[in-house]
Amino acid sequence: MSKKPNILLITSDQQHWNTIGAFNKELSTPNLDRLAREGTTFNRAYCPNPTCTPSRASIITGMYPSQHGAWTLGTKLLEDRHTVGEDFTEAGYRTALVGKAHFQPLKTTDEYPSLESYPLLQDLDFWRDFHGPFYGFEHVELTRPHTNEAHIGQHYAAWLEEKGCDNWRDYFLPPTGTMDKSITYKWPIPEKYHYNTWIAERTGDLLEQYKNEDESFFLWASFFDPHPEYLVPEPWDTMYDPDQLTIPSLVPGEHDRNPPHFAKTQEEHPEFSELKETGHGIHGYRSHHYYEYGDRFKLTEYDKKKLVAVYYGMISMMDKYIGQILDRLDALGLAEDTIIVFTTDHGHFFGQHGLQAKGGFHYEDLIKLPFIVRYPGSVPAGQQSEAIQSLVDLAPTFLSFTGIKAPPTMTGVDQKQVWLGQAEQARDHAICEFRHEPTTIHQKTYVDQRFKITVYYNQTYGELFDLLEDPNELNNLWDDPAHSERKQELLLKYIWAELGKEPMPMPRIWGA
């Protein structure tokens, strides 16, 4: 038996909160269902930012993006930021990350060098020799692609060559653009070479190493799916019949009371120049409705259904390999001593509110997360909780479970007593931030047990939703006179919540 509890963090990427089979019968996820049966599911978990780098940096720092500095995609989490891996290492834990990191941008500069950038990304000789340290992890095995996009390299590409897949470049879109963009939905890569297979295999091998060496560990298995592009190997691409699925869509009139850019996303030729926003790119406002896919400028009606089926297929395939990790943990006799958390970095739109992908819209679809905690004999099994969680809470809570004092720089909340079922809640709200310069898109959201309010930089419009009476967020109450007092109350709560995000100061030890 381990002297200290182990931590196994398993994350997906861009997974909608309602895509676990235990709670949505249109999907099959037997292994995530198993975690739900054997642990507690938290139905009110939130990301601190609905994009990858900021939220992932918050997981390891216990800080909000506006505090740790990696506030959007293309920014870098500076190496001088304190991370939870450093605390575990100092306490004698083994620390490792397998899969997606995305703490650094794809471009390197003299001022902000990046290990996750070109051309180093595809220098396999470098990656065969480099395994850390990296942001507090003594051992890392990394890569960057989402399905067949260009950013293949690092340890995953080296593993592909070790497995005899010398033509691995054929399955990805290299910078030369030789991959056929008309390939949609079915990814021709054999499943044995998929990064899910790599992550499960390497995670399992590390578990065995730690078991053999009788060492406690903090291990992050970081999956890439179901982040678009929507591609998955057969037979997963045809696992779900699009005509048998519930396909979310715009409710007529729902954007009438929303900020003006919401309705514009649904126009044929929207114009966002007043926001200094081109509308292009994965976070452009226009692209949330059109969503270029493959060689198509705009999704067809068939695409809108089929992409949901493939998105679900990606989740089900990932679930298979999560199951392999769980089975390996059981076979090694480590399950009883290991705290498992399954979650994602942020959510996803696949038709809800007429939107696709992710970006500057703080609907529950994008900022709420699947979130399951299992710790046999300690965390109640088969339970669901409405206690609010945030990804910034992971680091201080992991440390609390292992008896390590969290540093004062961590502004996340210790959720240990809540996870153990011994307290109803540890926080009464969550904060989500989004900022995407050089545009003027900049917003922050405060959400409590019932209400959600979103404010925009230098704007008088906003959003106010009653999540109890209006769980689908169709009726914006921001300008409703009957809710003016409620709006003022929530604005004051938001202001103090923002002020309270400051790291704890030094303790006062004398009167002067």
Side-chain angles (χ1 to χ4, degrees):
M1 177 176 293
S2 299
K3 296 180 179 64
K4 306 172 186 177
N6 307 306
I7 305 292
L8 176 58
L9 174 62
I10 304 174
T11 57
S12 59
D13 193 333
Q14 200 163 319
Q15 184 176 355
H16 190 276
W17 64 268
N18 191 29
T19 52
I20 295 178
F23 313 108
N24 182 347
K25 298 306 179 185
E26 292 189 359
L27 282 91
S28 174
T29 56
N31 296 293
L32 292 178
D33 296 356
R34 171 187 168 189
L35 283 181
R37 287 194 307 272
E38 297 173 352
T40 296
T41 300
F42 291 91
N43 297 321
R44 298 295 304 281
Y46 291 91
C47 64
N49 184 292
T51 55
C52 300
T53 296
S55 275
R56 289 170 176 274
S58 290
I59 288 174
I60 62 171
T61 62
M63 303 176 75
Y64 289 88
S66 54
Q67 296 172 320
H68 59 59
W71 51 271
T72 190
L73 294 178
T75 59
K76 175 182 177 179
L77 180 65
L78 297 180
E79 287 90 347
D80 64 358
R81 301 305 191 252
H82 184 84
T83 68
V84 68
E86 296 174 48
D87 298 308
F88 277 118
T89 299
E90 185 177 348
Y93 272 69
R94 303 295 300 276
T95 59
L97 165 62
V98 178
K100 178 175 178 175
H102 205 171
F103 305 137
Q104 300 184 353
L106 284 165
K107 182 177 180 180
T108 191
T109 67
D110 292 340
E111 187 176 5
Y112 300 108
S114 171
L115 280 180
E116 298 188 66
S117 66
Y118 291 105
L120 188 61
L121 188 78
Q122 295 180 335
D123 183 350
L124 301 194
D125 289 336
F126 172 84
W127 292 104
R128 288 187 181 98
D129 293 332
F130 178 83
H131 289 282
F134 191 66
Y135 291 102
F137 295 100
E138 62 164 336
H139 182 90
V140 292
E141 300 186 34
L142 308 174
T143 196
R144 278 293 291 267
H146 294 289
T147 61
N148 72 336
E149 67 182 11
H151 315 309
I152 175 67
Q154 298 170 291
H155 299 101
Y156 171 49
W159 175 85
L160 286 170
E161 292 192 355
E162 291 170 7
K163 294 294 181 179
C165 185
D166 296 327
N167 67 326
W168 55 266
R169 291 172 181 82
D170 294 343
Y171 302 118
F172 298 88
L173 176 61
T176 55
T178 57
M179 190 71 180
D180 185 354
K181 281 193 172 186
S182 67
I183 295 178
T184 53
Y185 303 122
K186 182 170 76 172
W187 190 11
I189 190 171
E191 185 172 333
K192 65 180 180 179
Y193 296 141
H194 194 277
Y195 42 62
N196 287 348
T197 307
W198 166 67
I199 292 170
E201 177 185 301
R202 296 304 304 134
T203 299
D205 289 348
L206 287 170
L207 289 173
E208 185 167 343
Q209 175 186 335
Y210 299 148
K211 169 67 174 182
N212 292 339
E213 296 172 358
D214 193 27
E215 295 195 84
S216 300
F217 58 83
F218 168 54
L219 175 55
W220 184 358
S222 181
F223 286 87
F224 292 83
D225 286 355
H227 187 298
E229 284 298 320
Y230 302 97
L231 286 169
V232 70
E234 58 181 2
W236 307 95
D237 61 311
T238 57
M239 180 176 181
Y240 296 98
D241 180 351
D243 293 324
Q244 300 300 313
L245 300 177
T246 302
I247 309 299
S249 62
L250 177 76
V251 175
E254 69 167 289
H255 291 320
D256 291 350
R257 292 172 297 277
N258 285 338
H261 57 275
F262 282 67
K264 281 189 176 183
T265 63
Q266 307 304 304
E267 295 175 0
E268 194 67 25
H269 300 289
E271 217 283 324
F272 297 105
S273 60
E274 76 279 7
L275 295 175
K276 301 178 183 178
E277 164 60 53
T278 66
H280 294 277
I282 61 172
H283 305 298
Y285 280 141
R286 183 201 56 78
S287 66
H288 283 281
H289 174 52
Y290 280 64
Y291 195 79
E292 295 89 344
Y293 181 62
D295 58 2
R296 297 187 283 289
F297 175 70
K298 182 178 179 180
L299 293 176
T300 66
E301 290 305 309
Y302 172 79
D303 288 328
K304 291 178 182 179
K305 296 190 298 182
K306 181 63 176 178
L307 68 79
V308 178
V310 173
Y311 185 77
Y312 286 1
M314 295 167 77
I315 293 170
S316 292
M317 180 185 176
M318 177 182 65
D319 178 84
K320 170 184 173 179
Y321 289 91
I322 291 174
Q324 290 187 5
I325 294 173
L326 299 180
D327 290 345
R328 195 81 172 268
L329 197 73
D330 286 343
L332 293 168
L334 293 170
E336 298 299 313
D337 302 320
T338 301
I339 301 165
I340 295 179
V341 172
F342 170 79
T343 188
T344 193
D345 53 359
H346 54 79
H348 182 61
F349 294 121
F350 46 94
Q352 297 90 342
H353 311 286
L355 302 172
Q356 298 288 338
K358 61 187 175 186
F361 302 89
H362 283 183
Y363 286 114
E364 296 287 274
D365 304 284
L366 194 56
I367 71 172
K368 197 165 76 166
L369 317 169
F371 196 98
I372 306 172
V373 181
R374 188 189 82 175
Y375 188 19
S378 296
V379 171
Q383 300 296 307
Q384 296 186 54
S385 172
E386 300 302 311
I388 294 175
Q389 308 285 313
S390 174
L391 292 182
V392 298
D393 301 339
L394 286 176
T397 304
F398 289 155
L399 294 176
S400 179
F401 267 96
T402 54
I404 305 170
K405 185 177 180 180
T409 54
M410 291 185 178
T411 51
V413 173
D414 178 3
Q415 296 274 0
K416 178 180 177 181
Q417 297 305 314
V418 177
W419 290 7
L420 292 174
Q422 298 173 2
E424 288 190 9
Q425 65 179 27
R427 58 161 64 243
D428 61 7
H429 71 275
I431 293 286
C432 187
E433 310 170 341
F434 183 83
R435 186 175 179 182
H436 193 59
E437 291 183 342
T439 71
T440 58
I441 304 169
H442 188 182
Q443 69 212 66
K444 294 191 178 184
T445 292
Y446 171 98
V447 56
D448 64 20
Q449 289 290 351
R450 177 168 178 174
F451 293 97
K452 173 196 284 187
I453 192 165
T454 298
V455 296
Y456 291 80
Y457 173 72
N458 205 29
Q459 300 290 348
T460 58
Y461 54 67
E463 297 147 50
L464 171 59
F465 292 106
D466 182 339
L467 298 177
L468 179 63
E469 297 296 329
D470 180 27
N472 293 321
E473 301 172 275
L474 302 177
N475 183 24
N476 183 8
L477 303 172
W478 179 268
D479 291 321
D480 186 342
H483 288 83
S484 60
E485 289 187 13
R486 174 70 65 184
K487 181 167 75 171
Q488 294 304 315
E489 175 189 348
L490 289 169
L491 286 172
L492 286 172
K493 287 184 176 181
Y494 158 72
I495 289 171
W496 281 107
E498 278 289 289
L499 293 174
K501 289 194 316 181
E502 292 298 317
M504 284 296 293
M506 293 296 293
R508 186 176 186 182
I509 59 174
W510 194 245

PDB file of all heavy atoms in Angstrom, residues 232-249:
ATOM      1  N   VAL A 232     -12.349  10.554 -36.672  1.00  0.00           N
ATOM      2  CA  VAL A 232     -12.102   9.420 -35.798  1.00  0.00           C
ATOM      3  C   VAL A 232     -11.952   8.177 -36.670  1.00  0.00           C
ATOM      4  O   VAL A 232     -12.582   8.067 -37.729  1.00  0.00           O
ATOM      5  CB  VAL A 232     -13.266   9.264 -34.775  1.00  0.00           C
ATOM      6  CG1 VAL A 232     -14.546   8.803 -35.442  1.00  0.00           C
ATOM      7  CG2 VAL A 232     -12.880   8.350 -33.624  1.00  0.00           C
ATOM      8  N   PRO A 233     -11.077   7.230 -36.289  1.00  0.00           N
ATOM      9  CA  PRO A 233     -10.905   6.019 -37.104  1.00  0.00           C
ATOM     10  C   PRO A 233     -12.171   5.164 -37.122  1.00  0.00           C
ATOM     11  O   PRO A 233     -13.015   5.245 -36.216  1.00  0.00           O
ATOM     12  CB  PRO A 233      -9.760   5.283 -36.396  1.00  0.00           C
ATOM     13  CG  PRO A 233      -9.079   6.299 -35.552  1.00  0.00           C
ATOM     14  CD  PRO A 233     -10.138   7.273 -35.142  1.00  0.00           C
ATOM     15  N   GLU A 234     -12.264   4.336 -38.156  1.00  0.00           N
ATOM     16  CA  GLU A 234     -13.359   3.373 -38.171  1.00  0.00           C
ATOM     17  C   GLU A 234     -13.119   2.324 -37.086  1.00  0.00           C
ATOM     18  O   GLU A 234     -11.980   2.074 -36.710  1.00  0.00           O
ATOM     19  CB  GLU A 234     -13.466   2.718 -39.551  1.00  0.00           C
ATOM     20  CG  GLU A 234     -12.207   1.998 -40.013  1.00  0.00           C
ATOM     21  CD  GLU A 234     -12.379   1.397 -41.399  1.00  0.00           C
ATOM     22  OE1 GLU A 234     -13.449   1.571 -42.012  1.00  0.00           O
ATOM     23  OE2 GLU A 234     -11.441   0.741 -41.864  1.00  0.00           O
ATOM     24  N   PRO A 235     -14.147   1.748 -36.499  1.00  0.00           N
ATOM     25  CA  PRO A 235     -15.575   1.909 -36.818  1.00  0.00           C
ATOM     26  C   PRO A 235     -16.262   3.022 -36.027  1.00  0.00           C
ATOM     27  O   PRO A 235     -17.492   3.156 -36.082  1.00  0.00           O
ATOM     28  CB  PRO A 235     -16.139   0.545 -36.394  1.00  0.00           C
ATOM     29  CG  PRO A 235     -15.318   0.197 -35.175  1.00  0.00           C
ATOM     30  CD  PRO A 235     -13.923   0.706 -35.477  1.00  0.00           C
ATOM     31  N   TRP A 236     -15.482   3.806 -35.294  1.00  0.00           N
ATOM     32  CA  TRP A 236     -16.059   4.817 -34.407  1.00  0.00           C
ATOM     33  C   TRP A 236     -16.780   5.907 -35.190  1.00  0.00           C
ATOM     34  O   TRP A 236     -17.701   6.552 -34.657  1.00  0.00           O
ATOM     35  CB  TRP A 236     -14.977   5.420 -33.526  1.00  0.00           C
ATOM     36  CG  TRP A 236     -14.191   4.386 -32.779  1.00  0.00           C
ATOM     37  CD1 TRP A 236     -13.009   3.814 -33.146  1.00  0.00           C
ATOM     38  CD2 TRP A 236     -14.554   3.784 -31.539  1.00  0.00           C
ATOM     39  NE1 TRP A 236     -12.599   2.894 -32.211  1.00  0.00           N
ATOM     40  CE2 TRP A 236     -13.536   2.844 -31.208  1.00  0.00           C
ATOM     41  CE3 TRP A 236     -15.619   3.928 -30.662  1.00  0.00           C
ATOM     42  CZ2 TRP A 236     -13.552   2.081 -30.048  1.00  0.00           C
ATOM     43  CZ3 TRP A 236     -15.653   3.165 -29.506  1.00  0.00           C
ATOM     44  CH2 TRP A 236     -14.635   2.249 -29.211  1.00  0.00           C
ATOM     45  N   ASP A 237     -16.391   6.122 -36.450  1.00  0.00           N
ATOM     46  CA  ASP A 237     -17.012   7.185 -37.242  1.00  0.00           C
ATOM     47  C   ASP A 237     -18.457   6.872 -37.598  1.00  0.00           C
ATOM     48  O   ASP A 237     -19.239   7.777 -37.908  1.00  0.00           O
ATOM     49  CB  ASP A 237     -16.199   7.451 -38.512  1.00  0.00           C
ATOM     50  CG  ASP A 237     -16.124   6.224 -39.405  1.00  0.00           C
ATOM     51  OD1 ASP A 237     -15.802   5.133 -38.887  1.00  0.00           O
ATOM     52  OD2 ASP A 237     -16.374   6.364 -40.626  1.00  0.00           O
ATOM     53  N   THR A 238     -18.832   5.590 -37.565  1.00  0.00           N
ATOM     54  CA  THR A 238     -20.206   5.203 -37.887  1.00  0.00           C
ATOM     55  C   THR A 238     -20.913   4.578 -36.696  1.00  0.00           C
ATOM     56  O   THR A 238     -21.958   3.949 -36.845  1.00  0.00           O
ATOM     57  CB  THR A 238     -20.217   4.210 -39.066  1.00  0.00           C
ATOM     58  OG1 THR A 238     -19.401   3.067 -38.741  1.00  0.00           O
ATOM     59  CG2 THR A 238     -19.685   4.876 -40.336  1.00  0.00           C
ATOM     60  N   MET A 239     -20.364   4.755 -35.515  1.00  0.00           N
ATOM     61  CA  MET A 239     -20.963   4.165 -34.317  1.00  0.00           C
ATOM     62  C   MET A 239     -22.349   4.746 -34.036  1.00  0.00           C
ATOM     63  O   MET A 239     -23.241   4.055 -33.533  1.00  0.00           O
ATOM     64  CB  MET A 239     -20.045   4.393 -33.119  1.00  0.00           C
ATOM     65  CG  MET A 239     -20.561   3.829 -31.813  1.00  0.00           C
ATOM     66  SD  MET A 239     -19.337   4.038 -30.482  1.00  0.00           S
ATOM     67  CE  MET A 239     -20.214   3.260 -29.115  1.00  0.00           C
ATOM     68  N   TYR A 240     -22.542   6.014 -34.371  1.00  0.00           N
ATOM     69  CA  TYR A 240     -23.803   6.695 -34.069  1.00  0.00           C
ATOM     70  C   TYR A 240     -24.496   7.115 -35.356  1.00  0.00           C
ATOM     71  O   TYR A 240     -23.866   7.642 -36.277  1.00  0.00           O
ATOM     72  CB  TYR A 240     -23.552   7.918 -33.188  1.00  0.00           C
ATOM     73  CG  TYR A 240     -22.998   7.566 -31.825  1.00  0.00           C
ATOM     74  CD1 TYR A 240     -21.634   7.635 -31.572  1.00  0.00           C
ATOM     75  CD2 TYR A 240     -23.839   7.148 -30.797  1.00  0.00           C
ATOM     76  CE1 TYR A 240     -21.112   7.300 -30.331  1.00  0.00           C
ATOM     77  CE2 TYR A 240     -23.336   6.817 -29.550  1.00  0.00           C
ATOM     78  CZ  TYR A 240     -21.972   6.891 -29.324  1.00  0.00           C
ATOM     79  OH  TYR A 240     -21.462   6.550 -28.094  1.00  0.00           O
ATOM     80  N   ASP A 241     -25.800   6.887 -35.410  1.00  0.00           N
ATOM     81  CA  ASP A 241     -26.619   7.291 -36.543  1.00  0.00           C
ATOM     82  C   ASP A 241     -27.050   8.738 -36.328  1.00  0.00           C
ATOM     83  O   ASP A 241     -27.757   9.039 -35.368  1.00  0.00           O
ATOM     84  CB  ASP A 241     -27.849   6.388 -36.639  1.00  0.00           C
ATOM     85  CG  ASP A 241     -28.758   6.738 -37.811  1.00  0.00           C
ATOM     86  OD1 ASP A 241     -28.530   7.782 -38.459  1.00  0.00           O
ATOM     87  OD2 ASP A 241     -29.710   5.980 -38.059  1.00  0.00           O
ATOM     88  N   PRO A 242     -26.624   9.648 -37.200  1.00  0.00           N
ATOM     89  CA  PRO A 242     -26.987  11.058 -36.993  1.00  0.00           C
ATOM     90  C   PRO A 242     -28.486  11.289 -36.865  1.00  0.00           C
ATOM     91  O   PRO A 242     -28.920  12.184 -36.133  1.00  0.00           O
ATOM     92  CB  PRO A 242     -26.426  11.753 -38.246  1.00  0.00           C
ATOM     93  CG  PRO A 242     -25.355  10.850 -38.740  1.00  0.00           C
ATOM     94  CD  PRO A 242     -25.797   9.461 -38.396  1.00  0.00           C
ATOM     95  N   ASP A 243     -29.278  10.481 -37.545  1.00  0.00           N
ATOM     96  CA  ASP A 243     -30.727  10.673 -37.525  1.00  0.00           C
ATOM     97  C   ASP A 243     -31.361  10.200 -36.221  1.00  0.00           C
ATOM     98  O   ASP A 243     -32.550  10.467 -35.986  1.00  0.00           O
ATOM     99  CB  ASP A 243     -31.375   9.949 -38.712  1.00  0.00           C
ATOM    100  CG  ASP A 243     -30.996  10.585 -40.039  1.00  0.00           C
ATOM    101  OD1 ASP A 243     -30.859  11.818 -40.079  1.00  0.00           O
ATOM    102  OD2 ASP A 243     -30.824   9.839 -41.024  1.00  0.00           O
ATOM    103  N   GLN A 244     -30.600   9.506 -35.400  1.00  0.00           N
ATOM    104  CA  GLN A 244     -31.130   9.008 -34.125  1.00  0.00           C
ATOM    105  C   GLN A 244     -30.679   9.866 -32.936  1.00  0.00           C
ATOM    106  O   GLN A 244     -30.992   9.543 -31.795  1.00  0.00           O
ATOM    107  CB  GLN A 244     -30.689   7.559 -33.906  1.00  0.00           C
ATOM    108  CG  GLN A 244     -31.155   6.590 -34.970  1.00  0.00           C
ATOM    109  CD  GLN A 244     -32.671   6.544 -35.076  1.00  0.00           C
ATOM    110  OE1 GLN A 244     -33.378   6.446 -34.073  1.00  0.00           O
ATOM    111  NE2 GLN A 244     -33.176   6.627 -36.312  1.00  0.00           N
ATOM    112  N   LEU A 245     -29.966  10.948 -33.218  1.00  0.00           N
ATOM    113  CA  LEU A 245     -29.426  11.787 -32.151  1.00  0.00           C
ATOM    114  C   LEU A 245     -30.217  13.082 -32.015  1.00  0.00           C
ATOM    115  O   LEU A 245     -30.809  13.573 -32.983  1.00  0.00           O
ATOM    116  CB  LEU A 245     -27.958  12.121 -32.436  1.00  0.00           C
ATOM    117  CG  LEU A 245     -26.997  10.941 -32.548  1.00  0.00           C
ATOM    118  CD1 LEU A 245     -25.603  11.440 -32.907  1.00  0.00           C
ATOM    119  CD2 LEU A 245     -26.968  10.123 -31.269  1.00  0.00           C
ATOM    120  N   THR A 246     -30.195  13.626 -30.820  1.00  0.00           N
ATOM    121  CA  THR A 246     -30.774  14.943 -30.577  1.00  0.00           C
ATOM    122  C   THR A 246     -29.753  15.993 -31.002  1.00  0.00           C
ATOM    123  O   THR A 246     -28.671  16.074 -30.415  1.00  0.00           O
ATOM    124  CB  THR A 246     -31.127  15.122 -29.094  1.00  0.00           C
ATOM    125  OG1 THR A 246     -32.044  14.092 -28.697  1.00  0.00           O
ATOM    126  CG2 THR A 246     -31.743  16.483 -28.847  1.00  0.00           C
ATOM    127  N   ILE A 247     -30.068  16.753 -32.020  1.00  0.00           N
ATOM    128  CA  ILE A 247     -29.135  17.737 -32.567  1.00  0.00           C
ATOM    129  C   ILE A 247     -29.539  19.125 -32.068  1.00  0.00           C
ATOM    130  O   ILE A 247     -30.610  19.629 -32.422  1.00  0.00           O
ATOM    131  CB  ILE A 247     -29.118  17.710 -34.107  1.00  0.00           C
ATOM    132  CG1 ILE A 247     -28.907  16.272 -34.618  1.00  0.00           C
ATOM    133  CG2 ILE A 247     -28.056  18.658 -34.633  1.00  0.00           C
ATOM    134  CD1 ILE A 247     -27.609  15.636 -34.192  1.00  0.00           C
ATOM    135  N   PRO A 248     -28.722  19.768 -31.254  1.00  0.00           N
ATOM    136  CA  PRO A 248     -29.078  21.098 -30.753  1.00  0.00           C
ATOM    137  C   PRO A 248     -29.147  22.113 -31.895  1.00  0.00           C
ATOM    138  O   PRO A 248     -28.468  21.981 -32.914  1.00  0.00           O
ATOM    139  CB  PRO A 248     -27.926  21.444 -29.797  1.00  0.00           C
ATOM    140  CG  PRO A 248     -27.265  20.139 -29.496  1.00  0.00           C
ATOM    141  CD  PRO A 248     -27.438  19.293 -30.720  1.00  0.00           C
ATOM    142  N   SER A 249     -29.958  23.139 -31.697  1.00  0.00           N
ATOM    143  CA  SER A 249     -30.081  24.168 -32.732  1.00  0.00           C
ATOM    144  C   SER A 249     -30.543  25.474 -32.101  1.00  0.00           C
ATOM    145  O   SER A 249     -30.936  25.521 -30.933  1.00  0.00           O
ATOM    146  CB  SER A 249     -31.079  23.732 -33.813  1.00  0.00           C
ATOM    147  OG  SER A 249     -32.372  23.550 -33.269  1.00  0.00           O
TER     148      SER A 249
END
